[in-house]
Amino acid sequence: MAETTASDLGTLLQHPVVQRAVEDCSLELKARREYRPPACEVFHAAYTVLEETDRYRFTIDKEAERLLPNLIRNRVQVVRGRAELPPDVLRDYTRRRNIGIVFSGGPAPGGHNVIAGLFDAAKRANPDNRVFGFLVGPDGVVENECLEITRERVDAYRNLGGFTMLKTGRAKIDSKKKVDMSRQTCKELGLDALIIVGGDDSNTNAAFLAQEMFDDRIQVIGVPKTIDGDIQVRDDNGHLLCAVSFGFHTAARAFANAIAGLSNDASSDIKYYHVCKVMGRVASHLALEVALQSHPNITVIGEDLVDFVDEDRLGKARRDRTTDYTAFGMTLRHLSRMICDGIVKRAAAGKNYGVIVIPEGVLEFINEVEVFIMKLNTIIAEYNRTRDRDFHSAFPSLEQKLEFLHRLAQRSRDDSSFKLWNTRDEDLFNDLPEFFQEGLLTERDSHGNFQFSQIHTERVLMGLVHDYLNILKEKGLYTLGIQSAYVAKTLRKAGLDPDRFGPAIFQNYGAGDYLLTKTSIISAKTLRQALERAGLLQPQDPLPHVVEGIYKKTVPSFKTQEHFYGYDGRGNDPTRFDCIYTYNLGLTAFSLIANGATGQMTAIRNLEHSFAEWEPIGIPIAPLMHLEDRKGRLALVLEKALVDLGSVAFNVFKAHQERWLAAGPGEDHFRRPGPIRCDGNDEDRPITLMLNALTAPPRS
């Protein structure tokens, strides 16, 4: 091949084909930027107003009433379109405003469209309105680090994933000093309103800021964001106001599409179980949606484990005339055995491969682990509160942490009133693998939460699964089914009679498509013994190679590949659903601001129904708040929504679990959700929402 000179290369790099091939902006990106999400019907009107309604009821927490007096009586506000407004209202609606917006917490697909909707609505109301974006999260508000958002900047990020335009951060405006600095920032920029895009903690923060800045006449609005899907709002009567936070659909589709690829790999190479941990620190919404999207063979839903009762252990206790309190509540060991049961069933059908989905926060639903987490959270919080040093700084190594716990256990022996950490706790904790102990003692996040993403949940479970499968293999209960036709053909080819050798080797010879070796045959030695007992082999005869070869094909080898799905999904370009949803959340945010609202969270009611039925609303944040333990102290927060075990979506999933396990002859039932697009034939909303809409109460 001729050598390319510098001048030749320079000419080549200027070629239009080369430049198109390596430019940053792909054809898909250009199409995304050009896509314009539709606006809800009310936003087609020249103006909007807010209509307060008493239809929705909330139980007010006394602490919320005390700390948020100016917001606690806020009501749900419905956005209505108007062709014209009274002169005084019109003047206020169209007056020049400065609005700030900040991203808080982890990214979620669609955030840029919140900005786009806000910007478009603000400029439509008054071209002189200005929108400022605070950089790198709430710290940008505290430190007045911001940029003015222009149309060029908005158009560059329309329909794109990530929070790249402004970046994000996990800081909180949670002290008087930070609040005062934030107030000063708002005054320096002449802000009329601040919009906080974030999860449950960030919207809690928005409510407190709205209270603090109430007398300054600075409005604060929250926008619900989290891929976990655990921001869902119902009133006391069960009316659904917010079905899901934005970013959930995109993340679930991204995970499901990747898992569908692993399904293809598993059913092609037929030797691996792909173990997929998906994000969801508390709730299992993502795991449920991923299961409905991609049909993995085994899916664990954490909430389904809560009320588990081990009937076998209860029966044994009754027979022994004892009480076994550990029979109530799921244990790691029993969960691992439930997974083993599915693997063994598939193996019997000749399937030594598969896909397993586990939610990131499943350990929170395991009784023994939850007790450890609660106790360790309290121990760490108490240490930090009563000492000048941080627990993790004081005990940097696992060995030092374990020694501290050992001293606590010793204290429980000397002081009967000290029950926080006793010798039984120590014994159980010491039985855990070292990496799991380290994970349980890892540093808590900025909100005091246990960081489930730092725990290799799948490794803990699969370690137990491996161990139990080996026990079952030694008992002859875990064996790989082999096709009867293959056995007959192979034996005949070697000159051996299948009807003589088959009954000696297989427990179900002549009674199924897949043959299972007898439970007594667990090695080449026991295979020989079975053939000798059947008179097919003399002690001095060698074991026929073909028979030994058939036996080896029935010995399963459990191999796993572990995957974590989280950061890739939250940074994905949004689905059409999330593009439309977030754009309308941005439009709603401006309507709330233009009509004087504060301490409200933007939402779209009827999100689970067709787009024509979507209804933009403002939900009062303060009445949603309740006391919860954070860092060992009670604090007001928004309650996370868990998977509803009575929902249509969950029950449809449960009804299909056995089918998707595919523990029988025939193909698996893996589903291909397809690539994510913002136009074309992309599925228009989460499957969980579509299913749950089937029993939604009549809308009004």
Side-chain angles (χ1 to χ4, degrees):
M1 185 175 180
E3 185 178 343
T4 303
T5 65
S7 60
D8 291 339
L9 180 59
T11 302
L12 180 64
L13 293 178
Q14 296 303 313
H15 194 286
V17 172
V18 174
Q19 293 193 336
R20 280 198 302 273
V22 299
E23 67 178 347
D24 292 341
C25 187
S26 66
L27 293 176
E28 176 67 20
L29 176 58
K30 290 176 183 176
R32 277 192 164 272
R33 285 173 172 167
E34 291 169 2
Y35 175 67
R36 292 296 181 265
C40 292
E41 183 65 30
V42 296
F43 297 124
H44 292 180
Y47 312 102
T48 59
V49 297
L50 300 180
E51 182 182 286
E52 291 194 336
T53 175
D54 289 321
R55 181 185 178 209
Y56 306 105
R57 304 287 180 180
F58 303 96
T59 300
I60 304 299
D61 188 286
K62 292 295 184 184
E63 187 69 1
E65 189 171 27
R66 184 180 73 83
L67 295 177
L68 302 165
N70 297 117
L71 309 176
I72 200 66
R73 301 302 167 195
N74 280 9
R75 293 183 289 176
V76 171
Q77 297 170 316
V78 181
V79 179
R80 302 294 189 196
R82 293 289 184 268
E84 54 186 33
L85 297 173
D88 57 332
V89 178
L90 178 63
R91 278 194 301 274
D92 191 56
Y93 189 95
T94 58
R95 70 179 172 84
R96 183 180 177 279
R97 285 181 169 84
N98 291 339
I99 302 169
I101 187 167
V102 61
F103 292 136
S104 178
H112 291 133
N113 273 24
V114 176
I115 295 177
L118 170 69
F119 182 89
D120 288 353
K123 291 296 184 181
R124 182 185 178 194
N126 185 333
D128 292 329
N129 282 338
R130 302 173 73 187
V131 180
F132 295 89
F134 290 100
L135 303 176
V136 197
D139 275 344
V141 181
V142 174
E143 299 169 4
N144 196 357
E145 290 292 325
C146 68
L147 54 81
E148 182 168 359
I149 294 173
T150 63
R151 184 164 300 280
E152 292 73 25
R153 186 175 291 274
V154 169
D155 289 344
Y157 287 95
R158 284 185 190 272
N159 310 305
L160 302 191
F163 285 176
T164 316
M165 184 197 294
L166 303 179
K167 321 304 182 211
T168 188
R170 295 188 177 276
K172 294 176 70 178
I173 305 173
D174 56 358
S175 67
K176 185 180 185 305
K177 181 179 179 181
K178 288 183 177 181
V179 170
D180 290 342
M181 292 176 70
S182 299
R183 181 183 288 110
Q184 183 61 31
T185 292
C186 292
K187 289 181 176 179
E188 288 175 3
L189 293 172
L191 292 190
D192 298 276
L194 174 65
I195 296 170
I196 297 176
V197 181
D200 56 320
D201 282 307
S202 299
N203 276 274
T204 297
N205 208 195
F208 280 106
L209 273 180
Q211 175 64 43
E212 291 288 342
M213 297 186 179
F214 190 85
D215 292 335
D216 300 295
R217 305 175 82 79
I218 298 171
Q219 299 161 261
V220 182
I221 300 296
V223 178
K225 172 272 324 174
T226 169
I227 68 167
D228 290 357
D230 55 13
I231 297 183
Q232 300 175 16
V233 180
R234 290 182 183 271
D235 77 343
D236 290 349
N237 296 319
H239 294 116
L240 185 60
L241 295 169
C242 177
V244 73
S245 47
F246 82 77
F248 169 78
H249 185 228
T250 304
R253 282 289 307 279
F255 299 158
N257 202 40
I259 288 170
L262 295 179
S263 300
N264 294 337
D265 178 83
S267 55
S268 300
D269 208 15
I270 60 169
K271 65 179 180 181
Y272 290 116
Y273 266 91
H274 290 286
V275 183
C276 307
K277 182 172 72 171
V278 301
M279 263 191 178
R281 190 186 64 79
V282 174
S284 305
H285 297 291
L286 277 171
L288 177 58
E289 179 70 23
V290 163
L292 292 167
Q293 291 277 1
S294 60
H295 302 178
N297 303 116
I298 299 172
T299 302
V300 177
I301 301 297
E303 291 85 339
D304 195 26
L305 309 179
V306 173
D307 297 324
F308 174 78
V309 176
D310 192 329
E311 298 293 347
D312 291 340
R313 280 153 65 194
L314 275 184
K316 183 178 184 301
R318 281 192 292 268
R319 290 191 297 274
D320 296 341
R321 296 184 179 181
T322 61
T323 302
D324 186 354
Y325 294 106
T326 63
F328 299 92
M330 180 63 68
T331 65
L332 275 172
R333 187 174 302 281
H334 195 85
L335 177 57
S336 69
R337 293 188 177 188
M338 288 170 60
I339 294 172
C340 283
D341 183 57
I343 293 168
V344 169
K345 286 180 178 178
R346 282 180 59 80
K351 297 174 180 176
N352 193 34
Y353 64 91
V355 178
I356 301 171
V357 169
I358 300 170
E360 174 189 15
V362 70
L363 295 181
E364 187 155 320
F365 299 96
I366 304 297
N367 190 52
E368 59 192 330
V369 177
E370 181 63 7
V371 170
F372 276 140
I373 291 172
M374 290 170 59
K375 288 194 171 194
L376 293 172
N377 280 354
T378 304
I379 289 168
I380 292 169
E382 181 68 19
Y383 185 93
N384 292 342
R385 191 162 51 243
T386 58
R387 311 276 207 297
D388 290 333
R389 296 186 68 191
D390 171 72
F391 177 83
H392 298 284
S393 301
F395 308 107
S397 70
L398 176 62
E399 185 179 0
Q400 290 169 309
K401 290 181 175 73
L402 292 176
E403 176 57 32
F404 176 76
L405 292 177
H406 178 63
R407 292 200 299 272
L408 292 182
Q410 285 182 317
R411 177 182 166 187
S412 73
R413 283 197 293 266
D414 302 331
D415 180 2
S416 59
S417 66
F418 182 77
K419 303 179 185 300
L420 186 55
W421 191 261
N422 55 41
T423 52
R424 183 175 183 275
D425 293 324
E426 183 177 37
D427 290 342
L428 289 173
F429 196 74
N430 288 340
D431 284 341
L432 298 175
E434 187 175 296
F435 75 87
F436 193 23
Q437 291 177 333
E438 203 153 18
L440 290 171
L441 286 165
T442 193
E443 193 165 358
R444 273 49 180 165
D445 68 15
S446 59
H447 307 304
N449 298 319
F450 179 73
Q451 300 189 75
F452 283 101
S453 61
Q454 302 301 313
I455 292 284
H456 293 287
T457 310
E458 66 282 18
R459 195 181 302 169
V460 175
L461 277 174
M462 288 306 112
L464 293 171
V465 167
H466 270 283
D467 291 344
Y468 191 56
L469 287 177
N470 285 335
I471 292 172
L472 294 178
K473 191 185 294 186
E474 289 172 6
K475 293 181 177 180
L477 299 175
Y478 175 37
T479 183
L480 193 59
I482 186 168
Q483 285 186 309
S484 57
Y486 171 81
V487 170
K489 181 188 72 173
T490 305
L491 289 173
R492 287 195 189 98
K493 192 174 180 180
L496 302 176
D497 184 357
D499 291 332
R500 294 186 65 211
F501 280 82
I505 302 172
F506 301 104
Q507 56 183 288
N508 61 331
Y509 185 78
D513 292 333
Y514 283 86
L515 303 178
L516 300 176
T517 53
K518 291 182 175 179
T519 55
S520 59
I521 299 176
I522 58 173
S523 64
K525 180 180 178 181
T526 53
L527 171 63
R528 164 181 279 280
Q529 290 170 350
L531 294 177
E532 288 180 2
R533 283 196 300 271
L536 298 172
L537 206 64
Q538 296 301 315
Q540 68 274 15
D541 294 337
L543 185 64
H545 291 303
V546 67
V547 174
E548 187 175 11
I550 288 173
Y551 165 71
K552 286 181 177 179
K553 288 182 179 292
T554 70
V555 179
S557 175
F558 183 65
K559 297 178 181 177
T560 60
Q561 296 287 341
E562 296 171 358
H563 313 267
F564 175 55
Y565 292 105
Y567 303 106
D568 44 351
R570 74 182 195 180
N572 212 91
D573 286 332
T575 58
R576 182 172 60 185
F577 172 86
D578 273 327
C579 285
I580 298 171
Y581 180 21
T582 49
Y583 185 73
N584 281 277
L585 286 175
L587 297 175
T588 303
F590 180 77
S591 288
L592 293 174
I593 292 166
N595 287 284
T598 191
Q600 300 288 86
M601 181 170 71
T602 63
I604 306 292
R605 200 171 78 90
N606 297 335
L607 196 64
E608 66 277 19
H609 298 288
S610 66
F611 175 70
E613 299 176 77
W614 286 15
E615 183 180 58
I617 60 174
I619 301 175
I621 303 174
L624 305 180
M625 297 168 71
H626 72 291
L627 288 170
E628 186 177 291
D629 182 32
R630 290 292 175 91
K631 295 186 178 180
R633 294 181 179 179
L634 290 176
L636 282 174
V637 296
L638 294 184
E639 185 175 9
K640 293 180 184 293
L642 302 180
V643 170
D644 179 5
L645 301 186
S647 67
V648 174
F650 179 75
N651 281 287
V652 168
F653 159 75
K654 286 290 282 187
H656 285 82
Q657 270 190 304
E658 198 65 30
R659 181 172 187 267
W660 296 344
L661 179 63
E667 295 296 323
D668 289 285
H669 299 285
F670 298 134
R671 183 177 185 270
R672 292 173 167 85
I676 290 174
R677 301 183 60 83
C678 61
D679 55 6
N681 296 319
D682 196 16
E683 290 180 348
D684 63 351
R685 58 191 186 277
I687 292 179
T688 46
L689 266 63
M690 293 167 61
L691 293 175
N692 289 339
L694 297 177
T695 57
R699 302 181 298 284
S700 62

